[in-house]
Amino acid sequence: MNILLPDNWLRKYLDTNATPLQIKEYLSLCGPSVERVNKVGDDYIYEIEITSNRADCASVYGIAREAAAILPRFGLKAKLISLGRSPFGHLPGVTKRKDTSDGVRMHSSEVEESKELPMVVTDPEIICNRIMGVVMEVDFMKPSPAYIKDRIEKSGIRSLNNLVDITNYVMLELGHPSHVFDYDRIKTHKFLIRLAKKNEQIITLDNKKYLLNSEDVIIDDGTGRVIDLPGIMGTENSVVNQTTRRIFFFIESNNPVLIRKTSMRYGIRTMAATINEKHPDPQLVKTALLRGIELYQELAGGKVAGEIIDVYPNPPKPQKIKVSIKFINDRLGIELKTQDIIKILQSLGFDPQPATHNPQLLSV
């Protein structure tokens, strides 16, 4: 897949003295291939090829991380501006509660002026790797601010309104698709993740009708009514509109194989489907959710109005691997010093440690 990335958005997370042409040249030599860079007004737009094994690069932040690791190798200043410095690294007022039957929930003290609104999400067959969501009260639907509209449209996505644009902004910035529902159009306030029945019908946001296959993942409101084709496209019966005042902001880490089969079967090749079929990191779901909450607060007068749902049945445990400097250099075909390898790995977010008994062996 190819992505379009505005230079002014990239530099929100990349502190560098490199020119756009230098970024194009050096990223293409060592990382994602920058096919071209075009000047648009006062900005530059990178067209970048993302290979299927590098879903971590399919975002503004992912490319910023790569550039921060690559550019210093060519004598250029480059530093990643960490997500941890932003308010969405930790949302004030949100604390974990004990595990519940359908996952970990978190509670927000930011609901003082709003009653807690119920929402239940279940995935009995554990189809998804992780599911998160939160109910929020919002002011009303309106056009997005100029900078949001400019960035997503330069990235190839049409601006619609603030409620929908935030989901696309989060996807483009962080690399994990998200979705927003009108809370009051989900009468049961329940989400059941399940496989579709053969010939079960949906009408998608673009008003197209599909008869589903038994391998398609859908969201059911608990009454048998299909309200989403998750990871691919929403449905007409739960979309936000001008009357929306309460939303359910939702992110799921779906089964990538099923997503691709469904997307290809019906020819629904959305950007969300193209990213989800490459299996973005389930750990990224929380980062994306908190970033979305921040943007709804900032751009839509959003107030958290319920528990933050986190259904994560099989979270991975951190793994350590041991690798020798010789193994790395043999595969690269060049000779890098131990300290250079350590710096490169650190710049990509790893914590490499030389083994005490053998400095030529790294624990990563």
Side-chain angles (χ1 to χ4, degrees):
M1 66 178 287
N2 280 24
I3 63 170
L4 299 175
L5 194 159
D7 183 70
N8 72 3
W9 200 354
L10 178 66
R11 292 175 194 267
K12 175 183 169 85
Y13 293 112
L14 178 67
D15 181 11
T16 183
N17 61 352
T19 67
L21 290 178
Q22 287 174 320
I23 291 173
K24 174 184 182 297
E25 178 183 358
Y26 297 131
L27 254 66
S28 297
L29 284 173
C30 303
S33 175
V34 183
E35 303 295 303
R36 56 186 60 86
V37 55
N38 298 313
K39 193 172 191 303
V40 178
D42 295 330
D43 202 0
Y44 291 85
I45 311 298
Y46 304 96
E47 183 175 338
I48 305 173
E49 181 185 6
I50 306 297
T51 55
S52 296
N53 64 324
R54 292 303 308 271
D56 60 295
C57 288
S59 66
V60 174
Y61 192 76
I63 294 297
R65 181 174 51 227
E66 285 291 294
I70 290 168
L71 294 176
R73 303 294 305 170
F74 297 93
L76 293 163
K77 170 192 168 186
K79 184 177 180 181
L80 182 67
I81 300 172
S82 172
L83 291 172
R85 296 181 182 177
S86 299
F88 56 91
H90 174 262
L91 190 68
V94 175
T95 55
K96 280 191 177 181
R97 272 180 145 179
K98 66 181 181 179
D99 286 5
T100 62
S101 60
D102 59 347
V104 176
R105 294 175 180 266
M106 290 175 277
H107 177 75
S108 174
S109 61
E110 297 180 7
V111 296
E112 296 171 358
E113 299 179 3
S114 308
K115 64 179 181 180
E116 281 203 8
L117 300 175
M119 192 71 198
V120 176
V121 178
T122 55
D123 181 13
E125 297 180 57
I126 313 182
I127 296 170
C128 295
N129 298 297
R130 188 178 192 179
I131 302 165
M132 292 192 74
V134 62
V135 179
M136 298 187 74
E137 294 183 339
V138 294
D139 289 340
F140 52 87
M141 180 186 287
K142 59 185 178 182
S144 292
Y147 83 92
I148 295 283
K149 182 177 179 180
D150 179 70
R151 285 175 174 174
I152 66 173
E153 291 196 338
K154 284 178 178 175
S155 301
I157 294 179
R158 182 166 60 98
S159 174
L160 296 173
N161 56 69
N162 60 335
L163 302 184
V164 174
D165 288 355
I166 286 169
T167 66
N168 287 324
Y169 193 90
V170 169
M171 174 177 69
L172 293 166
E173 185 172 76
L174 299 178
H176 205 298
S178 63
H179 191 55
V180 61
F181 297 86
D182 185 316
Y183 175 79
D184 293 299
R185 296 184 72 185
I186 308 164
K187 300 300 183 184
T188 60
H189 302 145
K190 293 179 180 178
F191 270 17
L192 168 63
I193 314 293
R194 65 170 172 84
L195 294 175
K197 300 168 187 174
K198 187 174 182 180
N199 293 328
E200 196 163 14
Q201 179 181 296
I202 64 164
I203 299 175
T204 50
L205 287 173
D206 54 1
N207 208 33
K208 292 182 180 178
K209 185 186 296 184
Y210 297 93
L211 296 178
L212 299 178
N213 182 287
S214 58
E215 287 189 337
D216 299 323
V217 181
I218 57 95
I219 297 178
D220 177 330
D221 69 355
T223 68
R225 185 177 72 131
V226 181
I227 55 174
D228 193 45
L229 195 60
I232 298 174
M233 184 180 283
T235 52
E236 187 279 333
N237 58 12
S238 59
V239 67
V240 293
N241 56 37
Q242 291 290 346
T243 67
T244 299
R245 295 296 180 270
R246 301 190 292 191
I247 63 170
F248 184 52
F249 179 51
F250 177 80
I251 307 177
E252 96 290 339
S253 173
N254 217 313
N255 182 307
V257 175
L258 295 181
I259 287 286
R260 178 164 177 81
K261 285 182 176 180
T262 297
S263 175
M264 297 298 288
R265 183 180 296 123
Y266 306 114
I268 311 176
R269 298 302 291 159
T270 59
M271 188 171 186
T274 305
I275 293 175
N276 277 320
E277 70 188 21
K278 294 173 176 57
H279 194 30
D281 186 357
Q283 293 292 97
L284 189 57
V285 173
K286 182 179 178 182
T287 304
L289 186 95
L290 295 180
R291 176 55 165 153
I293 290 173
E294 180 190 45
L295 287 168
Y296 279 114
Q297 290 172 332
E298 177 186 337
L299 306 179
K303 295 179 182 177
V304 174
E307 295 176 330
I308 294 180
I309 298 166
D310 189 1
V311 182
Y312 202 3
N314 299 304
K317 295 179 180 178
Q319 298 290 325
K320 284 279 188 182
I321 64 168
K322 288 185 168 58
V323 60
S324 69
I325 302 301
K326 183 178 185 304
F327 180 90
I328 292 173
N329 285 332
D330 284 350
R331 267 93 192 140
L332 293 176
I334 59 175
E335 291 295 319
L336 290 175
K337 295 179 180 178
T338 302
Q339 284 307 310
D340 288 335
I341 292 173
I342 288 174
K343 285 180 181 178
I344 292 169
L345 289 171
Q346 286 174 335
S347 69
L348 293 170
F350 295 97
D351 181 27
Q353 299 292 332
T356 52
H357 64 281
N358 182 359
Q360 293 300 302
L361 186 66
L362 293 180
S363 177
V364 183

